[in-house]
Amino acid sequence: MSQNYLNIDRFIYGGDYNPEQWLDRPDIFKQDLLLMKKAHINTVTLGVFSWSTLEPIKDCFNFTWLIDIIDKLYDNGIQVILATPSGARPRWLAETYPEVLRVREDRTRQLYGERHNHCYTSPAYRERVRIINQKLAKTFRNHPGVILWHISNEYRGECHCPLCQEAFRNWLKNKYKDIDSLNRAWWTTFWSHTYNSFHQIESPSSIGDHGLHGLNLDWKRFVTDQTVDFMCEEIHALRDGGATQPVTTNFMDDYKGLNYYNLAKHIDYVSWDSYPTWNKEDEICTAYDTAMQHDLMRSMKQKPFLLMESCPSSPNWQTVSKLKKPGLLQSASLQAVAHGSNSVQYFQIRQSRGSFEKFHGAVIDHYGGSDTRVFNEVTETGASLIELKQVIGSKVDSSAAIIYDMENRWAMEDSKGPRNEGLFYHESVLKSYQALRKAALNVDIINMEQSLDSYKLVVAPMLYMFRAGIEIKLRSFVENGGILIMTYWSGIVNETDLCYLGGTPHSLLDVFGLRSKEIDGLYEWEENSLIPIPENSLQLHTSYKCKNLCDLVQLNGATPLMNYGSDFYQGTPALTVNQYGKGYAYYICADAEEPFYHDLYAKILAKHHIHSILNTIPDGIEVTSRTDDEYEYIFIQNFSSRTLDIVLPKTMDIIYGNKDGNIRQYETIVSRKKLF
Ligand code: GAL
């Protein structure tokens, strides 16, 4: 990681551009340049998949076209995010070094093809990447137009080749030191799977071991570490070549193959590619889902992130290529900014003529003119970002955090029971998230390694695995006055997936004033309910349905607020609270329907005086804020299909959007409030 930060005095606006596909058509680049300027585009990402044009034959490099394009872009006020080309390799490379081809978990080696399919361990691949990265760095290290390095593209996947097996064994040796410790950590006496030496270890496979949860978990950790190691080598090659610009790599939406937090530690900016299925269901649900991803990306480094890719109209790989309805592009783009992005970038600037993405939405389509609906909306969005310039430099401050941890997810979803038809971890996190957003609170989405100190409210949905000392952090958080909300299926296993002995949620029985005795998995068609106890301290009056999982708890100090409505555990606690130290610990026993969370969180926020950004928010409106030293900027966005009234306090002045007291579908209003 470099100490360089982007010196941004305007929002980065543009997207992926692939001029290498048009080198025989200089007229196209000329036309694109004019159109980009017209659309207020100030940045393009180049070189993501350019390897075979940059090095068409081994050791024969041709950078002339790239230098020419970057120079011309710069002369026209357009800066460049330059990618390292490792996301897709040329044919000659796989032909010369077959070891770069990935081996699947069933031990079949893949043929050359597609992208993102190379072995991250292969010394040959690393060497070829090092050579080309270093050359790129030497060529562009001093180019004023190159502002950021885009390392590879959407790292993903895994390889099970002999080189990776050896690296995995070494990784394990380093972690466990001796084989007995590994055997204990993985509980290998089960089914007589004890290892005599590290040499016997093989990565998980459908034709071998796949039910040894400790092995599966460590394999996933290894895959992340190997990817991190590969990425760091890419970055070192740039630094060795003299490049000093900051670096980023682009992440994907809810990708389960890597623990992104570990990659984030080594890059200057987190960036991500956002492709929601807009116009499919209730728009506010898609908006919340997307918002949660934005917040996750921002929370990894607790600083502004970059929206690296999004689609100006419809992506062609979704089941249906739904066009974005008029106005939605701007709304979705400004939503990213509201959640802390310093950029709006598209995939792609110009639509390709052939191959897989020829029908993927683009700023400039095959028609090639500026008189298209999409181009006009892109231009309007660019103008909005110029208008919102003063927001640059601000960041998002959150009073609430939700713990959403990838290692927890790996372990929980790999386990057998208590519900192999689906545990709904992501959905459970989303329900709490939506409720907090609906109450107009900024929310960080953090993992177990992060500090809880700055929050008033922390939510820990389905924290099955406790790691990184989370139980100690949660205890002191509550002790010092924090409000903690935890759910069923929490504190069950340690970090190698061994069950805790002596009662769960592990080590927090006194904090919650209860012990989980049993958990009931419900069939798809089954439901239970949560019934408020008369005169409960939160004044909850409504009953709610619950599904999937019902935790049966034994109280030891906690006060029940709701009870189960049916089954043999009817009348036993379903929601509890316990005062511990200066704070309160709430325990939600079952997977309740969404309105329950809205009701519960609204009551908890009111009771514990946790203030929202705005007080009364109609359904379908999303409210977010960014703050700098002087102002809080409040983004109000209408994702409903109706025009809604909106009354803002007199302390706020509107700096963007209409001032009529109402907000139309997809409209954004930004108001400003002076701090102190
Ligand atoms: C991204 C990828 C891009 C492009 C895009 C299409 O995941 O990084 O290269 O393929 O999807 O939506």
Side-chain angles (χ1 to χ4, degrees):
M1 200 164 71
S2 80
Q3 290 310 307
N4 294 324
Y5 298 111
L6 287 175
N7 196 4
I8 298 177
D9 58 1
R10 57 181 179 174
F11 283 104
I12 291 176
Y13 191 53
D16 276 34
Y17 184 50
N18 302 302
E20 68 277 9
Q21 295 174 14
W22 303 92
L23 291 180
D24 58 343
R25 289 286 308 268
D27 56 311
I28 290 280
F29 177 64
K30 266 194 201 140
Q31 191 188 351
D32 290 348
L33 207 48
L34 292 176
L35 291 174
M36 285 189 226
K37 285 166 77 173
K38 193 166 182 185
H40 308 293
I41 283 172
N42 57 35
T43 308
V44 296
T45 305
L46 290 181
V48 181
F49 298 115
S50 304
W51 200 338
S52 69
T53 317
L54 293 168
E55 191 183 2
I57 298 170
K58 188 178 165 203
D59 292 325
C60 291
F61 295 91
N62 173 14
F63 288 5
T64 332
W65 63 274
L66 187 59
I67 297 170
D68 183 49
I69 282 172
I70 294 183
D71 284 348
K72 286 191 176 127
L73 286 164
Y74 183 65
D75 290 345
N76 283 278
I78 298 174
Q79 52 198 9
V80 168
I81 297 174
L82 189 55
T84 65
S86 65
R89 60 184 179 277
R91 279 182 199 274
W92 62 257
L93 205 153
E95 209 170 52
T96 320
Y97 308 99
E99 70 172 48
V100 307
L101 297 170
R102 244 179 220 180
V103 172
R104 296 197 313 230
E105 60 75 27
D106 65 359
R107 308 309 192 243
T108 324
R109 201 178 279 276
Q110 309 220 131
L111 300 177
Y112 174 85
E114 303 302 316
R115 53 181 176 168
H116 307 300
N117 56 1
H118 26 265
C119 169
Y120 289 136
T121 307
S122 155
Y125 197 60
R126 288 179 176 224
E127 179 58 7
R128 294 316 308 181
V129 170
R130 190 191 63 76
I131 292 170
I132 193 153
N133 283 10
Q134 213 177 80
K135 280 197 183 296
L136 282 167
K138 279 188 180 150
T139 312
F140 296 105
R141 61 187 169 192
N142 293 323
H143 201 297
V146 177
I147 57 160
L148 177 69
W149 290 93
H150 181 293
I151 309 298
S152 198
N153 187 68
E154 295 185 340
Y155 284 116
R156 69 176 88 157
E158 54 189 49
C159 171
H160 296 255
C161 74
L163 293 166
C164 288
Q165 300 293 347
E166 204 40 43
F168 182 41
R169 287 177 202 125
N170 287 334
W171 185 93
L172 290 168
K173 262 186 231 164
N174 195 31
K175 176 168 180 178
Y176 292 104
K177 312 294 179 224
D178 59 80
I179 199 69
D180 289 343
S181 309
L182 177 144
N183 278 317
R184 275 193 300 278
W186 291 1
W187 209 250
T188 55
T189 37
F190 181 79
W191 286 347
S192 234
H193 280 204
T194 313
Y195 293 98
N196 301 111
S197 82
F198 284 96
H199 295 298
Q200 296 170 330
I201 297 172
E202 279 275 340
S203 61
S205 169
S206 54
I207 56 165
D209 264 318
H210 53 273
L212 207 51
H213 294 148
L215 164 69
N216 297 350
L217 195 54
D218 273 336
W219 170 252
K220 287 188 158 70
R221 290 178 175 136
F222 163 77
V223 169
T224 290
D225 281 2
Q226 202 66 351
T227 310
V228 167
D229 193 58
F230 182 89
M231 180 186 79
C232 287
E233 273 203 36
E234 286 217 45
I235 299 170
H236 287 150
L238 293 178
R239 299 292 174 235
D240 288 348
T244 55
Q245 298 96 331
V247 297
T248 186
T249 191
N250 50 343
F251 295 158
M252 290 177 277
D253 185 348
D254 200 36
Y255 178 62
K256 286 198 277 182
L258 292 170
N259 184 356
Y260 278 153
Y261 277 88
N262 293 357
L263 278 80
K265 288 176 195 156
H266 302 273
I267 50 179
D268 299 296
Y269 282 89
V270 163
S271 63
W272 82 287
D273 303 340
S274 173
Y275 293 100
T277 44
W278 291 108
N279 299 135
K280 184 178 180 193
E281 49 182 357
D282 198 0
E283 213 73 294
I284 188 71
C285 295
T286 314
Y288 284 144
D289 203 4
T290 312
M292 189 167 111
Q293 288 298 318
H294 287 314
D295 287 346
L296 168 71
M297 297 297 161
R298 186 195 65 245
S299 303
M300 282 185 218
K301 290 186 90 70
Q302 302 279 356
K303 67 175 200 182
F305 63 95
L306 301 174
L307 177 64
M308 188 55 81
E309 292 179 26
S310 59
C311 186
S313 61
S314 63
N316 66 328
W317 47 263
Q318 289 172 352
T319 44
V320 168
S321 298
K322 191 86 201 139
L323 293 180
K324 280 198 176 76
K325 294 196 193 303
L328 179 56
L329 176 67
Q330 193 178 50
S331 210
S333 303
L334 295 186
Q335 186 194 28
V337 170
H339 285 266
S341 177
N342 276 350
S343 72
V344 172
Q345 297 271 100
Y346 302 116
F347 183 89
Q348 46 198 342
I349 301 285
R350 176 178 275 275
Q351 208 164 26
S352 60
R353 268 194 91 179
S355 287
F356 192 79
E357 281 164 350
K358 62 183 179 295
F359 297 125
H360 193 288
V363 175
I364 306 165
D365 63 16
H366 297 142
Y367 159 64
S370 63
D371 52 339
T372 66
R373 184 178 72 93
V374 172
F375 190 90
N376 285 336
E377 293 202 28
V378 167
T379 309
E380 278 164 24
T381 304
S384 309
L385 293 175
I386 295 170
E387 215 179 309
L388 282 168
K389 195 174 160 198
Q390 60 184 296
V391 177
I392 278 283
S394 61
K395 59 183 181 45
V396 175
D397 282 334
S398 303
S399 49
I402 301 179
I403 304 174
Y404 183 40
D405 189 280
M406 190 49 82
E407 294 199 10
N408 176 51
R409 183 171 188 177
W410 288 339
M412 182 166 31
E413 293 180 353
D414 192 34
S415 272
K416 289 287 153 225
R419 215 176 168 276
N420 301 331
E421 289 187 343
L423 293 167
F424 301 105
Y425 178 44
H426 181 85
E427 291 75 3
S428 145
V429 173
L430 193 58
K431 281 183 200 171
S432 285
Y433 179 78
Q434 290 185 343
L436 291 172
R437 282 250 71 93
K438 214 175 161 181
L441 230 61
N442 283 344
V443 185
D444 283 353
I445 307 289
I446 60 174
N447 78 355
M448 284 191 246
E449 286 162 28
Q450 283 169 292
S451 161
L452 308 179
D453 292 349
S454 62
Y455 305 110
K456 293 185 178 139
L457 177 100
V458 168
V459 188
M462 302 182 80
L463 216 59
Y464 164 80
M465 172 189 280
F466 276 2
R467 64 179 196 93
I470 190 67
E471 62 274 37
I472 300 166
K473 285 192 264 187
L474 290 172
R475 172 184 295 278
S476 67
F477 173 72
V478 183
E479 208 162 27
N480 294 323
I483 308 301
L484 172 63
I485 302 167
M486 191 177 250
T487 78
Y488 54 92
W489 210 227
S490 287
I492 310 291
V493 301
N494 71 7
E495 61 181 49
T496 61
D497 206 21
L498 293 184
C499 294
Y500 285 118
L501 306 179
T504 64
H506 168 69
S507 164
L508 297 176
L509 304 189
D510 55 336
V511 174
F512 287 96
L514 55 72
R515 179 174 75 79
S516 161
K517 294 182 299 183
E518 295 177 88
I519 189 155
D520 193 16
L522 274 58
Y523 287 106
E524 212 60 64
W525 42 266
E526 274 189 301
E527 57 185 41
N528 203 315
S529 56
L530 288 79
I531 315 285
I533 292 174
E535 286 161 41
N536 65 77
S537 60
L538 277 186
Q539 295 178 16
L540 293 158
H541 301 302
T542 313
S543 298
Y544 296 98
K545 288 182 204 151
C546 60
K547 289 179 67 117
N548 304 322
L549 290 170
C550 294
D551 194 347
L552 316 189
V553 297
Q554 160 97 50
L555 298 193
N556 186 13
T559 309
L561 301 167
M562 294 178 108
N563 284 337
Y564 283 114
S566 60
D567 216 322
F568 71 90
Y569 39 94
Q570 177 180 26
T572 68
L575 172 72
T576 67
V577 61
N578 190 47
Q579 188 171 3
Y580 180 81
K582 292 188 207 145
Y584 290 83
Y586 290 86
Y587 192 82
I588 303 174
C589 302
D591 184 353
E593 62 182 322
E594 218 182 289
F596 161 79
Y597 296 87
H598 296 159
D599 191 4
L600 175 71
Y601 283 91
K603 299 268 167 54
I604 289 178
L605 297 179
K607 185 173 167 73
H608 300 289
H609 312 291
I610 299 172
H611 301 296
S612 301
I613 304 166
L614 271 186
N615 279 337
T616 31
I617 300 139
D619 275 352
I621 296 274
E622 211 216 320
V623 177
T624 320
S625 75
R626 289 176 63 144
T627 317
D628 61 21
D629 294 341
E630 223 184 329
Y631 293 105
E632 184 179 12
Y633 301 95
I634 296 124
F635 285 71
I636 304 159
Q637 301 200 278
N638 186 354
F639 288 102
S640 82
S641 51
R642 290 160 297 131
T643 297
L644 297 165
D645 292 336
I646 191 103
V647 185
L648 295 178
K650 293 211 163 40
T651 48
M652 293 184 187
D653 60 304
I654 293 178
I655 58 161
Y656 176 88
N658 91 67
K659 299 183 179 168
D660 310 344
N662 59 43
I663 180 165
R664 285 177 289 279
Q665 183 188 26
Y666 299 141
E667 203 174 6
T668 301
I669 291 176
V670 184
S671 65
R672 196 177 67 166
K673 187 169 96 181
K674 192 136 175 82
L675 295 171
F676 320 116

